[in-house]
């Protein structure tokens, strides 16, 4: 499909690639891409737009422990919580309240 991945990866140390040439080439190509300027930019954007909001939902938002019973109800609770969070972001963007842009305007 000609898709390039930019997947962050922990330092695993040396690995034996016996009989895994294709996998080795894919891992090395990914490492090369994430160390470049575009890869770093994409990983920063991921942290800003994806990781930080999810961390906020689970830690600050109290979703680490959901006080409802049943898997389906937990998913409903998560959906409502994430929807409210996204709506808050949208309203702040729309109204300009609580952003750096609003503080610069005054």
């Amino acid at each position: 499909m000609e898709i390039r991945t930019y997947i962050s990866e922990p330092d695993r140390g040396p690995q034996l690639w016996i009989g895994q040439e294709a996998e080795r080439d894919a891992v090395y190509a990914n490492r090369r891409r994430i160390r470049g300027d575009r890869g770093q930019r994409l990983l920063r954007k991921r942290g800003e737009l994806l990781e930080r909001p999810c961390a906020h939902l689970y830690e600050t938002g109290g979703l680490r422990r959901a006080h409802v019973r049943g898997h389906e109800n937990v998913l409903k609770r998560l959906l409502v919580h994430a929807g409210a969070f996204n709506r808050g972001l949208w309203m702040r963007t729309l109204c300009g309240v609580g952003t750096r842009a609003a503080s610069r305007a005054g």
Side-chain angles (χ1 to χ4, degrees):
M1 292 179 63
E2 301 297 323
I3 296 174
R4 291 188 205 159
T5 60
Y6 291 83
I7 302 172
S8 59
E9 116 180 64
D11 186 17
R12 292 194 181 95
Q15 182 173 344
L16 295 176
W17 294 103
I18 299 170
Q20 300 177 347
E21 288 75 20
E23 291 86 353
R24 179 198 61 205
D25 294 343
V27 167
Y28 287 171
N30 180 62
R31 286 179 186 170
R32 186 178 59 251
R33 283 191 298 270
I34 64 174
R35 289 190 182 118
D37 292 337
R38 182 169 191 261
Q40 292 294 309
R41 191 173 62 247
L42 287 171
L43 291 177
R44 276 193 300 273
K45 195 162 208 64
R46 177 184 132 199
E48 177 185 343
L49 298 178
L50 182 71
E51 300 292 338
R52 194 175 301 149
C54 286
H56 176 75
L57 281 175
Y58 281 101
E59 295 296 333
T60 310
L63 279 179
R64 182 66 61 195
R65 292 182 184 88
H67 299 285
V68 293
R69 290 185 181 191
H71 185 72
E72 187 175 326
N73 291 332
V74 170
L75 292 177
K76 282 190 251 181
R77 172 81 169 96
L78 178 62
L79 181 66
V80 168
H81 199 86
F85 179 79
N86 288 335
R87 183 174 180 189
L89 287 177
W90 182 67
M91 291 300 289
R92 280 195 297 279
T93 302
L94 187 68
C95 299
V97 177
T99 63
R100 289 179 285 156
S103 63
R104 280 188 249 147

